[in-house]
Amino acid sequence: MIQLKIKNDELEKIEPRTLCEEAWQEIASHFPDFKVLSKGQKLKRVTKDKDIFFEIYFQANRYNNKDSVEFIPHIGIYSKSIKRAGINNGFIYGGDLGSLSSRKPHAWWQLAGASYKYTVEEVSNLIKIHVIPIFNYFEDTQANIDRILEGNCTSESLLYYIYYFGGKNKAQQYFNRILKVNIFKNKYISFYESLKSMPEENINLNYSEFSGDIMIKFAYLNGIEIEK
């Protein structure tokens, strides 16, 4: 059972932003191996190799008031070397806590009134159960890539991670898995084929025409082929 620092009779007297910060710091106190930044709004941990780092970021609802104080936790995994290489701004994997856990996607957590204690406990537990194990997988890059390839994950951002650290062949295996199950498979394949008639210097990885096209451009430019 989590012991809260704020007593129930104090909750209604606290400003929404301060209440959020108090809750974030209470959640952070259960993860001592993370560095606490911005009054608890961001938690950060770096892998042993100092390249990959993990972030938990708490976003306050812009419409918070004394009757409703909400926030949503976001999870992000980044690589310094992938960012230096100009790939996907270094982003590897992530999402909101609801999508990565047993709660509904894009869920907001309520702190006002009696919800405070329950929310601090629930968010802390969900991070412990669903997020920390994911972070731990990324401590061993090669073992993690093999684990991803053996599983059924199809997150597009992982393609860049697998390509950069695992090479073209493993990236191609993962790329074709994405295509196999994606509802836009035919559109992606058609777009990939259309790139063959374009000069490579005209293929812009910084300009997106539709969701997923950057991934397709990246695959084509790096020799990742569509398997028949």
Side-chain angles (χ1 to χ4, degrees):
M1 182 67 67
I2 294 175
Q3 298 298 319
L4 300 179
K5 298 176 182 177
I6 301 179
K7 295 181 173 59
N8 288 336
D9 59 355
E10 298 175 338
L11 293 174
E12 294 183 1
K13 303 175 185 178
I14 301 176
E15 290 295 319
R17 179 66 189 187
T18 303
L19 188 63
C20 282
E21 292 172 352
E22 290 289 343
W24 299 337
Q25 291 185 60
E26 292 209 38
I27 293 167
S29 69
H30 301 285
F31 304 98
D33 53 340
F34 282 76
K35 186 176 181 179
V36 181
L37 305 170
S38 303
K39 296 183 179 180
Q41 187 164 20
K42 181 186 291 187
L43 309 183
K44 183 175 180 179
R45 190 182 102 192
V46 181
T47 55
K48 295 176 182 177
D49 65 9
K50 307 298 183 184
D51 180 66
I52 291 174
F53 61 94
F54 315 115
E55 288 188 351
I56 301 171
Y57 177 81
F58 301 113
Q59 175 190 353
N61 192 318
R62 63 184 298 184
Y63 300 109
N64 280 344
N65 56 67
K66 63 182 182 64
D67 298 315
S68 179
V69 183
E70 295 181 319
F71 73 96
I72 183 170
H74 298 280
I75 312 303
I77 302 176
Y78 303 85
S79 164
K80 297 175 184 177
S81 59
I82 290 179
K83 183 174 182 178
R84 285 196 298 269
I87 301 173
N88 205 37
N89 203 32
F91 179 74
I92 293 174
Y93 185 72
D96 65 279
L97 181 58
S99 298
L100 297 176
S101 69
S102 54
R103 215 168 187 263
K104 67 179 181 179
H106 314 298
W108 289 84
W109 271 264
Q110 180 64 247
L111 289 171
S115 299
Y116 184 93
K117 181 176 184 293
Y118 173 79
T119 290
V120 170
E121 289 182 347
E122 183 185 32
V123 171
S124 298
N125 287 332
L126 288 176
I127 291 173
K128 180 179 179 181
I129 294 169
H130 297 281
V131 176
I132 300 303
I134 294 175
F135 288 168
N136 291 339
Y137 284 134
F138 281 83
E139 288 282 358
D140 187 332
T141 299
Q142 295 309 316
N144 189 44
I145 289 174
D146 291 339
R147 183 192 65 83
I148 293 169
L149 293 176
E150 290 168 1
N152 56 13
C153 183
T154 56
S155 171
E156 293 180 7
S157 59
L158 286 174
L159 176 67
Y160 310 110
Y161 168 72
I162 294 172
Y163 174 80
Y164 189 84
F165 291 111
K168 189 181 80 170
N169 290 340
K170 290 184 177 182
Q172 184 164 304
Q173 179 183 342
Y174 186 74
F175 177 63
N176 281 276
R177 180 204 292 174
I178 293 174
L179 292 183
K180 184 177 180 180
V181 301
N182 198 287
I183 60 174
F184 299 114
K185 174 182 177 180
N186 292 335
K187 181 177 183 178
Y188 285 172
I189 292 174
S190 176
F191 182 65
Y192 184 98
E193 292 299 321
S194 73
L195 295 175
K196 295 179 180 179
S197 63
M198 293 178 60
E200 289 191 0
E201 59 269 23
N202 290 348
I203 300 175
N204 188 352
L205 288 174
N206 296 314
Y207 174 72
S208 178
E209 300 172 53
F210 57 87
S211 178
D213 71 323
I214 299 298
M215 174 191 68
I216 302 300
K217 293 176 185 177
F218 179 86
Y220 176 76
L221 290 173
N222 288 282
I224 300 171
E225 299 178 353
I226 295 176
E227 298 169 355
K228 305 299 183 183

